[in-house]
Amino acid sequence: MIKKGINASPGIAIAKAIVYVKKELDIVRRQIDDVAAECARFDEAVAQSREQLSALQAKTARELGEEEAAIFEAHAMFLDDPEFVGAIKTSIESEQRNAEAITQQIVDQFYAMFDAMDDPYFKGRAADIRDVGNRVLHNLMGIDIMDISNLSEDTIIIAEDLAPSDTAIMDKAHVKGFATDIGSRTSHSAIMARGLEIPAILGLGDITATAQDGDTVIVDGSAGVIVVNPTAGELAMYRDKQRAYEVYMAELAQLKDQKAVTTDGHEVILSGNIGNPKDVEGVNHNGGMGVGLYRSEFLYMDADTMPSEEKQFAAYKTVVEDFRDREGVIIRTLDIGGDKKLPYLPLEEEMNPFLGLRAVRLCFAKEDLFRTQLRAILRASAFGKTRVMFPMIGNVSEVRQAKALVKACMAELDREGVAYDRDLEIGIMVEIPSAALTADIIAKEVDFFSIGTNDLCQYTLAVDRMNQTVSYLYDPLHPAILRLVKNVIEASHKLPDKFTGMCGEMAGDPSATLILLGLGLDEFSMSASSIPQVKKIVRSVSFEEAKAIADEALTMETGDEIRAMIEAKMAALGIQIL
């Protein structure tokens, strides 16, 4: 069976499928007659859970380190806690109810208790108790836990969608590709796939219903095609394509140490987007000159409690030191809200969270949290070129408010005698149309812009990029988007020593490279795996040719017209993209 979807990350993967579907547990309350047998059944489920957690802890420590493995040790501690385990067994005896119902009941009670606490550490335990309880319940009910953190063989994940929390824990050594029912090129599963340099196809509609565990699956992320249970002929054909792609990537790898300079000498900076220090390897491997977007929220999302100033400082410092002699690192401050949530930072439900308390707005509301992060970033800046960037800025007043907090943190560090870069550059992500339209005003207050096209497209075109039914309207080459990008770049270039970068997925889209180059974009920051292709395009054209292409694109009326024109221009220039 062959299905066509959205080509979210290039390459070809061939492996067995795992259908990753999270099912709600149907827990029924019932009376029991044999209390001793029920308690013994519960003890067995606890022992099984303890063994699973021990295996996960050992594997995680071996592959990622002791710090990352500590979460599983914390989970196991609940299984040794006489108050938690004892409360369940006592209630089984006193209420004479089945272990599943009592376990759910006590877990809910403990969750509510921890979640109501003011201390962030104890509040963070609420998510832990929920996870532990869920594991025990699965074992009580004899239901296999869909665990993608500890795989035994190469796998392609088939899912409705993959949340950031899923991709954070998955076994990255064995997951060779994704295929999902929903999503777009800008969804988190697509971004993660490109970061891991593995093929991904999204928006397949019903792949979770048509593929089964153990099916042989081919994911052609370049063409957006998935083949389930291929014939011998199809398998042979795609193995040939896989080898051809590997040859193509080997040719691109030869550009690793070459600059991104046009045929007439115009140079741009190609940087990588990262979520944690481990991602630096991919940027270096692909010839990135710096980090144009350090998504600091992943440091929070990978933790079970609010990361301390010391933990953040250590993570930022590691990356900053790596790029000390190159273009440096742009750290985006915490961008939580919308589709990204923290279990230990409860927020009120909102009618439209993408337009609500998120990103810098949340940081203003949680000033202590914000100050902790700003202090960590400032301290890291003493070890190499560091820039700080504020997301979700809508007006110049917010820029001034954020800068005032930076100055306050600088004053604190001065009093403490702590070193930092006194010339730290401050910028904003341009992802709200109001910021793009008033870029000339905001430019006076910042050192740089970085255009976040994922949200800029969403907000400008009134398209929920995660909504499959309207995703066809999401188009980074829409004339409105190109005009906003042009306005931002020109606003920065009218003032001395200002620059504009782009860290949205458009920066790594080969169909947009010639236009962005011609518009005068200074820095392209993207998933590391996209750097070689973009570099090849930049080195294949003159700046004057790119400017003419951009000018022509700005006269066109639809994204489809622009895309067709780009394809023709690339063909004429002999630029081939696989």
Side-chain angles (χ1 to χ4, degrees):
M1 182 200 69
I2 300 175
K3 290 181 71 70
K4 184 78 168 66
I6 298 168
N7 53 329
S9 182
I12 295 172
I14 304 172
K16 297 292 185 182
I18 285 183
V19 181
Y20 183 57
V21 178
K22 298 177 183 177
K23 297 179 180 178
E24 292 292 327
L25 296 178
D26 184 16
I27 297 175
V28 178
R29 290 180 64 87
R30 56 182 173 80
Q31 288 292 131
I32 58 168
D33 296 323
D34 192 339
V35 171
E38 197 68 10
C39 286
R41 199 165 67 85
F42 171 72
D43 287 339
E44 184 179 346
V46 168
Q48 188 176 354
S49 299
R50 192 181 288 112
E51 288 178 8
Q52 293 165 349
L53 290 170
S54 178
L56 283 172
Q57 181 183 355
K59 180 179 185 296
T60 305
R62 189 169 57 250
E63 295 181 356
L64 300 177
E66 294 292 341
E67 185 176 347
E68 286 79 2
I71 179 61
F72 298 113
E73 182 180 4
H75 284 193
M77 288 174 64
F78 279 110
L79 298 177
D80 295 323
D81 183 353
E83 290 190 21
F84 175 58
V85 174
I88 294 174
K89 295 181 74 170
T90 298
S91 295
I92 291 173
E93 294 169 356
S94 62
E95 299 184 31
Q96 294 189 329
R97 296 280 183 181
N98 58 311
E100 292 89 344
I102 296 299
T103 298
Q104 184 68 70
Q105 175 182 310
I106 299 301
V107 166
D108 288 346
Q109 291 174 6
F110 270 69
Y111 180 90
M113 178 181 69
F114 280 111
D115 192 50
M117 294 181 179
D118 293 329
D119 188 292
Y121 175 82
F122 288 107
K123 187 179 287 289
R125 303 278 70 76
D128 291 341
I129 199 72
R130 181 75 79 199
D131 285 347
V132 171
N134 189 57
R135 182 174 293 277
V136 173
L137 285 168
H138 273 81
N139 288 325
L140 273 169
M141 300 172 74
I143 299 173
D144 290 337
I145 298 171
M146 292 297 295
D147 183 6
I148 57 173
S149 66
N150 188 27
L151 303 172
S152 59
E153 62 180 346
D154 289 350
T155 296
I156 288 172
I157 299 293
I158 307 292
E160 179 185 11
D161 193 17
L162 288 170
S165 57
D166 295 322
T167 52
I169 66 165
M170 74 180 184
D171 184 344
K172 297 172 179 63
H174 285 105
V175 174
K176 298 302 178 184
F178 303 156
T180 65
D181 290 339
I182 63 174
S184 67
R185 280 188 55 84
T186 58
S187 64
H188 287 290
S189 47
I191 294 170
M192 180 61 73
R194 287 193 288 274
L196 295 172
E197 301 184 29
I198 59 177
I201 305 170
L202 311 184
L204 288 160
D206 61 350
I207 192 62
T208 52
T210 52
Q212 298 181 4
D213 287 340
D215 283 349
T216 297
V217 172
I218 299 171
V219 170
D220 183 347
S222 301
V225 171
I226 184 170
V227 185
V228 180
N229 292 323
T231 65
E234 289 170 333
L235 202 56
M237 180 183 72
Y238 275 100
R239 290 204 186 280
D240 287 343
K241 289 184 69 174
Q242 192 176 44
R243 284 189 286 270
Y245 183 79
E246 289 168 357
V247 170
Y248 171 72
M249 293 306 294
E251 292 173 355
L252 289 183
Q254 296 176 12
L255 298 176
K256 175 177 178 278
D257 297 322
Q258 301 295 315
K259 291 184 177 181
V261 59
T262 62
T263 57
D264 54 355
H266 178 76
E267 184 178 356
V268 295
I269 302 301
L270 302 188
S271 300
N273 296 342
I274 69 169
N276 60 62
K278 296 182 181 68
D279 295 340
V280 167
E281 181 181 353
V283 179
N284 288 332
H285 175 73
N286 286 286
M289 291 300 294
V291 172
L293 172 62
Y294 188 156
R295 297 185 179 95
S296 67
E297 60 270 16
F298 281 95
L299 185 62
Y300 294 75
M301 292 165 63
D302 290 347
D304 59 333
T305 59
M306 192 71 70
S308 65
E309 179 181 324
E310 289 302 320
K311 182 173 182 179
Q312 294 186 61
F313 164 64
Y316 304 147
K317 175 176 175 285
T318 297
V319 177
V320 167
E321 286 181 322
D322 202 295
F323 291 95
R324 176 193 294 272
D325 299 323
R326 287 177 282 172
E327 291 298 322
V329 179
I330 298 177
I331 303 174
R332 178 175 71 186
T333 57
L334 183 61
D335 188 7
I336 288 294
D339 58 342
K340 291 176 284 189
K341 298 180 181 179
L342 301 176
Y344 52 83
L345 184 66
L347 300 173
E348 291 184 11
E349 291 296 323
E350 298 177 295
M351 288 292 290
N352 192 337
F354 282 95
L355 299 179
L357 189 66
R358 60 171 295 200
V360 77
R361 300 170 180 177
L362 174 64
C363 289
F364 289 149
K366 307 279 186 182
E367 191 172 305
D368 288 347
L369 178 157
F370 199 20
R371 282 175 174 266
T372 297
Q373 181 175 37
L374 291 175
R375 283 175 56 94
I377 293 171
L378 284 166
R379 290 171 58 193
S381 71
F383 296 87
K385 182 64 177 178
T386 307
R387 299 180 176 97
V388 64
M389 173 167 69
F390 303 117
M392 196 70 178
I393 291 290
N395 58 69
V396 73
S397 297
E398 290 175 323
V399 178
R400 292 168 180 160
Q401 184 178 354
K403 288 174 65 178
L405 285 169
V406 173
K407 289 182 180 178
C409 290
M410 286 179 169
E412 287 179 2
L413 294 176
D414 284 338
R415 290 192 295 269
E416 297 167 14
V418 177
Y420 63 89
D421 180 6
R422 296 180 180 278
D423 297 319
L424 177 79
E425 292 186 8
I426 295 175
I428 69 161
M429 278 189 77
V430 179
E431 49 193 337
I432 300 178
S434 61
L437 290 168
T438 58
D440 58 325
I441 297 172
I442 297 175
K444 301 170 187 176
E445 295 285 344
V446 299
D447 297 297
F448 67 93
F449 292 128
S450 185
I451 304 173
T453 51
N454 300 355
D455 276 341
L456 183 63
C457 289
Q458 176 170 250
Y459 294 137
T460 303
L461 304 178
V463 177
D464 179 354
R465 58 190 172 101
M466 306 302 290
N467 186 330
Q468 199 66 23
T469 59
V470 296
S471 61
Y472 69 96
L473 294 170
Y474 183 93
D475 185 2
L477 293 183
H478 189 291
I481 303 301
L482 296 186
R483 293 178 189 190
L484 289 175
V485 170
K486 179 176 183 287
N487 191 62
V488 174
I489 294 172
E490 289 182 345
S492 69
H493 289 176
K494 287 177 181 177
L495 296 173
D497 301 321
K498 312 277 185 179
F499 74 90
T500 294
M502 179 178 288
C503 59
E505 291 306 308
M506 185 180 182
D509 183 353
S511 65
T513 302
L514 292 176
I515 297 174
L516 297 175
L517 178 65
L519 289 175
L521 190 70
D522 302 296
E523 181 199 44
F524 296 65
S525 188
M526 65 202 76
S527 299
S529 60
S530 299
I531 293 173
Q533 288 199 118
V534 172
K535 184 181 290 187
K536 177 182 179 181
I537 295 171
V538 171
R539 292 176 57 84
S540 301
V541 67
S542 72
F543 188 39
E544 291 304 314
E545 286 173 322
K547 286 194 286 188
I549 290 170
D551 288 342
E552 185 175 348
L554 289 168
T555 68
M556 295 183 167
E557 298 179 352
T558 70
D560 288 340
E561 289 178 14
I562 294 169
R563 200 166 281 103
M565 181 270 289
I566 290 297
E567 289 179 3
K569 296 290 186 182
M570 290 178 68
L573 290 165
I575 301 173
Q576 181 185 16
I577 298 296
L578 289 186

